[in-house]
Amino acid sequence: MENTLPAEALDASFDLVARQDAADAALGALRSDVEEVKSRLERVSRAAARPALSGAAQPSPELKGFVDGYLRFGREAELKSVSGAVLADGGFAVPREIDAMIAAQLKAISPIRAIAQIVQTGTAGYRKLVSTGGTASGWVSEVAARPETNTAKFSEIAPPMGELYANPSATQAMLDDVDFDLEAWLASEIATEFARAEGAAFITGSGTNQPLGFLSAPTATTGDASRAFGTLQFLGSGHASGFDTAPELKLIDLVHALKSGHRQGATFVMNSKTLAAVRKFKTADGAFLWQPGLLEGQPARLLGYPVIEAEDMPDVAANAYPIAFGNFRNGYLIAERKVTTILRDPFTNKPFVNFYATKRVGGQVLDSDAIKLLRIEA
């Protein structure tokens, strides 16, 4: 006799199986949700263990990896490349965020860098050609012979290069402190040291393992037409130890010793002590030569030209050059490597960690007709 179940029993059995499958699926989804919540709680817990500075912006993942992995713990697997490539392709290089900050602060501190011509080089063997004599021409009649005219001459500029360095340090305890703004501190320390050294070298550098400052270039009293290339022209002040009785006339002569093309964009450069004396100069009718800036952010002017304060310029003294006037964008060239490198040294000076930063910088007078000097002499 055939054994069969009623239709109602079969339907109930199928319904029970379907409910069991649905329950299993719901349980699996719940387990997945639990695992996700657990993972989020773990991430929050790890973040809470190292709280961020109050009000500080969250750093980029690349910068955070560089700071936590290399500067703080010295893990070489987390070196950051200045090129912006992956971490494994790095080197001992400052991250892009810090390098950009250094450049901005250098312009604010080193005035010659802000007004000179800057080129980025790939090697220390940078060269530049300067045309020292244009092609000549002449007038002839329609059928006259055309004799040969002079051709242009060139001189080579090779700015002396030197390695600029800074070596700030911090204790390991400071690096471990979560409230310590490592990026701002490192950038400020390096920028201050670089600006101090550059500001002096661009003005008075000897050219030996450092830039050749424009005050270290040869000087002469002859004009542009007969003076040797690379030699700066100077004018005397009319007094052996200072300015004569009509100093404003000497400054006017200094301005107009510069070619008119260079006067477009020219600047006075002097230190604050010399500037204090110059601000007291008056014309014959009693008006001050000094003109303060009319708007915020505009430089003060002397005879209509901006004045830049550079503390590395010499004071007023016998045979000194306390005042320079010229178009430094055309007259002085700064050549530098693009990359600022930084080496973390936790071993040499325990318990301090040194950050040895270096950068190659060079400089030299580019066009000697574009800069004029005032010399203190009778």
Side-chain angles (χ1 to χ4, degrees):
M1 183 174 183
E2 185 175 355
N3 188 15
T4 60
L5 292 176
E8 294 80 4
L10 289 173
D11 293 338
S13 177
F14 291 147
D15 183 65
L16 180 61
V17 172
R19 290 183 179 181
Q20 183 65 38
D21 293 339
D24 292 341
L27 181 59
L30 180 60
R31 288 176 178 173
S32 178
D33 292 340
V34 170
E35 291 297 326
E36 183 178 356
V37 171
K38 182 180 178 181
S39 177
R40 291 182 179 180
L41 288 176
E42 290 176 352
R43 290 197 298 269
V44 172
S45 177
R46 288 195 300 269
R50 289 185 177 275
L53 292 176
S54 176
Q58 293 298 323
S60 65
E62 295 83 358
L63 178 59
K64 187 176 186 302
F66 174 79
V67 172
D68 289 342
Y70 178 56
L71 294 183
R72 185 168 284 137
F73 300 111
R75 291 199 296 268
E76 292 188 0
E78 295 189 46
L79 302 184
K80 175 62 180 172
S81 170
V82 75
S83 64
V86 296
L87 297 179
D89 294 337
F92 297 105
V94 178
R96 256 186 299 181
E97 289 85 349
I98 295 181
D99 206 19
M101 188 177 298
I102 292 174
Q105 292 193 22
L106 283 176
K107 285 188 178 181
I109 298 174
S110 179
I112 304 303
R113 170 178 282 272
I115 61 177
Q117 181 180 154
I118 302 176
V119 296
Q120 304 289 338
T121 67
T123 66
Y126 175 78
R127 299 290 189 273
K128 185 179 181 68
L129 292 180
V130 178
S131 175
T132 58
T135 302
S137 62
W139 293 98
V140 294
S141 66
E142 181 179 356
V143 296
R146 270 62 172 173
E148 182 180 355
T149 58
N150 294 332
T151 56
K153 297 180 180 179
F154 296 92
S155 292
E156 185 183 62
I157 294 295
M161 299 286 289
E163 188 168 88
L164 183 62
Y165 80 96
N167 195 24
S169 63
T171 63
Q172 185 62 52
M174 292 178 64
L175 298 179
D176 292 337
D177 187 355
V178 294
D179 290 334
F180 181 70
D181 192 347
L182 179 62
E183 178 190 4
W185 168 80
L186 181 60
S188 177
E189 288 292 310
I190 295 176
T192 300
E193 180 62 20
F194 281 11
R196 182 199 63 80
E198 282 189 346
F202 296 151
I203 295 175
T204 59
S206 64
T208 302
N209 298 325
Q210 60 181 277
L212 180 65
F214 61 86
L215 289 187
S216 299
T219 58
T221 58
T222 50
D224 294 344
S226 57
R227 196 175 64 257
F229 176 78
T231 301
L232 299 183
Q233 181 184 8
F234 72 87
L235 280 70
S237 66
H239 193 280
S241 59
F243 299 100
D244 66 358
T245 56
E248 70 279 4
L249 301 182
K250 300 299 182 182
L251 293 179
I252 293 175
D253 291 340
L254 184 67
V255 168
H256 289 278
L258 200 66
K259 294 178 180 177
S260 60
H262 289 315
R263 289 200 298 269
Q264 307 300 318
T267 305
F268 279 101
V269 178
M270 63 190 78
N271 65 23
S272 57
K273 188 174 181 179
T274 303
L275 184 57
V278 171
R279 290 189 63 174
K280 302 171 186 176
F281 292 167
K282 296 181 180 180
T283 60
D285 58 1
F288 283 99
L289 296 180
W290 176 266
Q291 299 173 344
L294 299 179
L295 299 176
E296 183 179 359
Q298 286 188 348
R301 292 180 175 269
L302 179 63
L303 297 176
Y305 296 95
V307 179
I308 296 295
E309 293 186 53
E311 295 306 321
D312 293 296
M313 290 290 291
D315 295 334
V316 176
N319 300 320
Y321 299 94
I323 299 177
F325 176 74
N327 189 321
F328 286 84
R329 192 75 61 185
N330 298 335
Y332 193 80
L333 177 69
I334 298 174
E336 62 182 6
R337 291 290 302 272
K338 297 181 181 179
V339 178
T340 300
T341 60
I342 181 168
L343 176 64
R344 185 183 192 273
D345 180 12
F347 308 108
T348 304
N349 192 25
K350 300 184 184 70
F352 294 93
V353 178
N354 285 38
F355 298 96
Y356 177 63
T358 60
K359 187 175 186 179
R360 292 185 184 179
V361 182
Q364 183 180 354
V365 170
L366 177 61
D367 185 352
S368 53
D369 292 349
I371 300 176
K372 304 296 180 181
L373 304 175
L374 182 70
R375 175 172 171 154
I376 303 301
E377 65 176 14

